[in-house]
Amino acid sequence: MITSTLRLACLGALTVTGFAGYQQNAPRAGTENGTVQGVVDSASGVLVFRGIPYAAPPVADLRWRAPRPAANWSGVRDASKLGHNCMQHQPYDDIDPFTAGVSEDCLYLNVWTASLAPKVKRPVMVWIHGGGFWAGFGGEERHNGAPLAKKGAVVLTLNYRLGPFGFLAHPALASGSRDPIGNFGLLDQIAALKWVKHNIARFGGDPNRVTIFGESAGGMSVGSLIASPLAKGLFQRAILESGTGVNGLGVFTRDTAQAIATQFVDSLHLTGSGADLARQLRSADAKDVLNASLHLGPAYSPRFFPVVDGNVLPHAVDTALMNGTANLVPVIVGTNRDEGDEWMAAPSRAFARLVTSHHVPAYLYIFSRVGADSVNQKRGAYHSAEITFVFGRPEPLQPSAGTTSYDATVADAMSDYWVAFASSANPNAAPARGKWPMWPKYNPKTDALLEIGADIGARTNFKRAVYDSLDAAARSHGRLRPQ
């Protein structure tokens, strides 16, 4: 078994001499930190490596600091099991983080690849999970990368710090430190992308063809990474599903974040200031930190988000896109039909317009698949409903999603389009070419998009008057919207 010393070490070389489940012919890959041994997925034949550390455990004095390099090890490290998930409770029934356990020692990633052959450079798809920035983990079964890997991608999922552990922006944390404050979860994501740049070729991936994609808070994370100068050059394409960071959703101003941080310290019953308060915060029990964060607002209402701090995020997402300081790359962006026009659909169209205003291609979609039963017909294409289809699963994992006669078609099409985009920045390339309807580039004159549901096909002027009205209302409140 991997020792607790390995999990807690931050620097230096470590020795891994053996582990349960050792398989002589199991796949092995080298990383900058040491060799890992994964497993062969019996159903697909895809090679899977789980629980690879991409940064040092952010514990003790490393709590609320930028991620530090992972420790090196000698021998072979077991990569057959998930690493711990980041500290969280369970606000959502469909996200259970406790099977792998929760811990502050949680900065692990997982890789799926069809081959380790270095001469075959496959596109890389890095999934950033959702969950309101306070729940979720990369190892959820609905994020299983095997179907996408079989279609030609190298797929990577990751954990990042959540809730107060990931986004506490208290000024005391800057005392005696050059570390940014408030965006530790984003810095984790950037550290994982740096790991990809330095290591993914050893897993058959092309470090110069990296697509970041995510849903909800994961989509907002993608938007923030596009806006962050610290992520420059770490990805070449981006996919944002039901979350962009436009409209101020999922991104706080510094003043708002610091006000919440002050409430949090009060909830934790700590006093003092500066370095003394920082020491108290870093020595507080992790469970007390988590519990204190649950008293800051109504239930199921996350209170910690990325922060416009002038460093990791110099500008809000829409501002960075408008002024051209963002990492402008080709994007797919879209929503599920019944999530809400004001907070999801109109901002997604605005994101596409902002990107294309710089002559960078964008592809807009609307997901309209709805389960055939009466309950699902009433609730429609709800938030997160597309995830299992994006990952190529022929039917939803949650029974509550219902089924349709066309589920397998939707899953095959979405996963083809996503892999094609990762491969060439064009969702109409292989494996989608000639198999599925042509997905038009977004054009603000026609609002061209692709509808994915019972019918798959191009649409124009989809709810244009509604979105125009919402954009006008947003402008009247000082928000940025392209004409």
Side-chain angles (χ1 to χ4, degrees), residues 58 60 62-66 86-91 103-104 106-107 131-136 160-171 173 180-188 252 257-268 270 278 281-282 284-297 301-307:
L62 294 186
R63 179 190 284 174
W64 292 311
R65 296 193 190 277
C86 292
M87 290 294 297
Q88 60 191 282
H89 67 308
Q90 189 179 0
S103 171
E104 287 190 86
C106 64
L107 301 185
F133 293 106
W134 70 336
Y160 58 94
R161 281 174 281 182
L162 302 167
F165 299 94
F167 300 97
L168 182 68
H170 199 284
L173 298 176
I181 62 170
N183 282 315
F184 309 106
L186 284 183
L187 290 168
D188 293 342
F252 276 161
Q258 290 187 350
I260 290 171
T262 299
Q263 295 174 20
F264 168 79
V265 169
D266 291 343
S267 181
L268 202 52
L270 298 180
L281 284 165
R282 290 192 171 99
D285 184 89
K287 291 182 179 178
D288 292 339
V289 171
L290 179 62
N291 290 335
S293 72
L294 304 181
H295 300 299
L296 301 181
S301 177
R303 299 292 287 163
F304 295 93
F305 294 95
V307 183

Side-chain angles (χ1 to χ4, degrees), residues 352-395:
R353 287 187 169 187
L354 287 164
V355 170
T356 56
S357 71
H358 297 283
H359 308 289
V360 176
Y363 296 87
L364 187 64
Y365 75 89
I366 192 82
F367 177 83
S368 60
R369 177 268 179 202
V370 177
D373 59 281
S374 60
V375 172
N376 276 291
Q377 286 293 307
K378 184 176 181 179
R379 70 171 174 169
Y382 58 89
H383 193 60
S384 79
E386 88 290 354
I387 295 176
T388 50
F389 298 98
V390 164
F391 278 85
R393 305 293 287 263
E395 59 186 34

Side-chain angles (χ1 to χ4, degrees), residues 3-27:
T3 66
S4 60
T5 302
L6 175 59
R7 289 194 297 267
L8 295 177
C10 299
L11 299 171
L14 301 171
T15 300
V16 183
T17 57
F19 45 82
Y22 177 86
Q23 298 177 340
Q24 186 66 39
N25 297 319

Side-chain angles (χ1 to χ4, degrees), residues 89-109:
H89 67 308
Q90 189 179 0
Y92 309 117
D93 291 341
D94 60 343
I95 301 176
D96 179 3
F98 299 114
T99 301
V102 296
S103 171
E104 287 190 86
D105 173 6
C106 64
L107 301 185
Y108 298 96
L109 55 79

Side-chain angles (χ1 to χ4, degrees), residues 198-209:
H198 296 144
N199 293 281
I200 205 65
R202 299 178 173 97
F203 294 81
D206 185 348
N208 296 313
R209 278 194 299 165

